[in-house]
Amino acid sequence: MAGSFSDFLELEVLDHVFGAAAYTAPVTIYVGLWTAALTDASTGSTAGEVSGGSYARVAVTNNATNFPAAAAGAKSNGTAVTFPTATASWGTVTYVGLLDAASAGNLLAWADLTTSKTVSSGDTASFAIGDIDFTLT
């Protein structure tokens, strides 16, 4: 996957590091799926997020178990992320986003999937440990 921090998070980090305003990391990070492209300018309301068929963003507690310490400029998920079983087609998922709310909210980071995945009724989409990986370069 190739991805990036969102414009929102880039500005928050810059302000935090350079003393303009403190940034408080969210207690919960929500993992969402998109069937349309995300970019740095995307938000938690960007069109193309999967909907219907029992879809819901997956809530992941933002701690060192679920997101272990960064190494070699990268941060990955430390536990599997599993979505509810689809009760209808979700379409072809091409992007994943990390957000600060269960709906809408701010997009923190996004990535395109290395391989797109068609999610049909009865399928359970998931990311194994280490599959969601973000780097700073």
Side-chain angles (χ1 to χ4, degrees), residues 87-104:
T87 59
S89 174
W90 290 359
T92 301
V93 175
T94 53
Y95 284 78
V96 60
L98 302 182
L99 304 105
D100 63 5
S103 63

Side-chain angles (χ1 to χ4, degrees), residues 1-107:
M1 283 193 273
S4 179
F5 279 8
S6 67
D7 289 344
F8 165 80
L9 188 58
E10 290 169 351
L11 295 174
E12 292 293 326
V13 169
L14 286 168
D15 283 346
H16 180 82
V17 170
F18 295 104
Y23 174 70
T24 302
V27 173
T28 304
I29 291 179
Y30 296 86
V31 182
L33 301 174
W34 268 259
T35 59
L38 291 173
T39 69
D40 287 2
S42 297
T43 70
S45 297
T46 296
E49 184 173 9
V50 171
S51 64
S54 298
Y55 170 79
R57 293 177 183 173
V58 175
V60 180
T61 302
N62 190 9
N63 61 28
T65 299
N66 294 322
F67 298 100
K75 185 84 162 180
S76 300
N77 59 310
T79 56
V81 175
T82 303
F83 287 82
T85 299
T87 59
S89 174
W90 290 359
T92 301
V93 175
T94 53
Y95 284 78
V96 60
L98 302 182
L99 304 105
D100 63 5
S103 63
N106 297 298
L107 180 67

